[in-house]
Amino acid sequence: MRLITEPYLTQVSNWPKNGRHILAQYDDHSIVVYQAYRPAIGNFAATYGYFGGEFSFDRMSWIKPNFLWMMYRSGWGTENGQEVVLAIWLKRSAIEEILRTAVHSSHVPELYLDKSGWQSALKRSQVRLQWDPDHHPTGTKLERRAIQLGLRGEVLAAYAKDWIVNIEDISDFVQKQRQNIKSDCAELITPQEKVYSVFDRETQAKLGLSAWTE
């Protein structure tokens, strides 16, 4: 497996306890995001390194940089239609473009002077931004917020093929770690993640990112 992993209990003390942060595994060239699909879609993507076959380009597709947020949403790969969990290496330039053009899925008065302006921006945008409570491996809701990004239109088409560096099926790893939660997380291994820094100040402000110093 290409993912870099580390014991969960080693990592958790280094993560922010609250606020809005993008937790992810990344390097100078790429960032890992997660998706979960039914076998027909997930197996195609893992085999060919892009999304095609039964993958739908007519609906919004959500990506999540935070592994544990993906685990919560997919029930650790047990939810119907989310049995194949994929780790997707995305170009750094692509995630920056996605974040730059994202529009919040709910009205944020500080960013949009009126609700109709936000609704117009949301209708035009091909990237939807959502902050939701992050979760402990057992499913307990945390104060920290996790980001997910919905893609559609030309952005989804570019993501599905042009922006992907690598795709890996991590379903077996996920199922093994789901069992390791029972050890009070002492044996739980998760992908190594840290706070992703967004350097463009306009994008920082739009996302509402919380300050963080390692």
Side-chain angles (χ1 to χ4, degrees), residues 30-46:
S30 62
I31 181 172
V32 179
V33 298
Y34 301 96
Q35 294 193 286
Y37 287 104
R38 67 180 188 272
I41 296 176
N43 292 342
F44 181 101

Side-chain angles (χ1 to χ4, degrees), residues 111-129:
L111 293 176
Y112 308 98
L113 296 179
D114 57 75
K115 201 165 186 178
S116 62
W118 160 72
Q119 289 172 333
S120 296
L122 186 65
K123 188 176 181 179
R124 292 192 309 269
S125 176
Q126 297 186 15
V127 181
R128 189 165 295 181
L129 159 68

Side-chain angles (χ1 to χ4, degrees), residues 169-188:
D169 181 350
I170 60 169
S171 305
D172 290 344
F173 170 77
V174 166
Q175 292 310 315
K176 181 177 180 180
Q177 299 314 314
R178 184 168 66 89
Q179 299 302 317
N180 287 341
I181 297 171
K182 300 174 183 177
S183 65
D184 289 331
C185 297
E187 298 177 17
L188 178 62

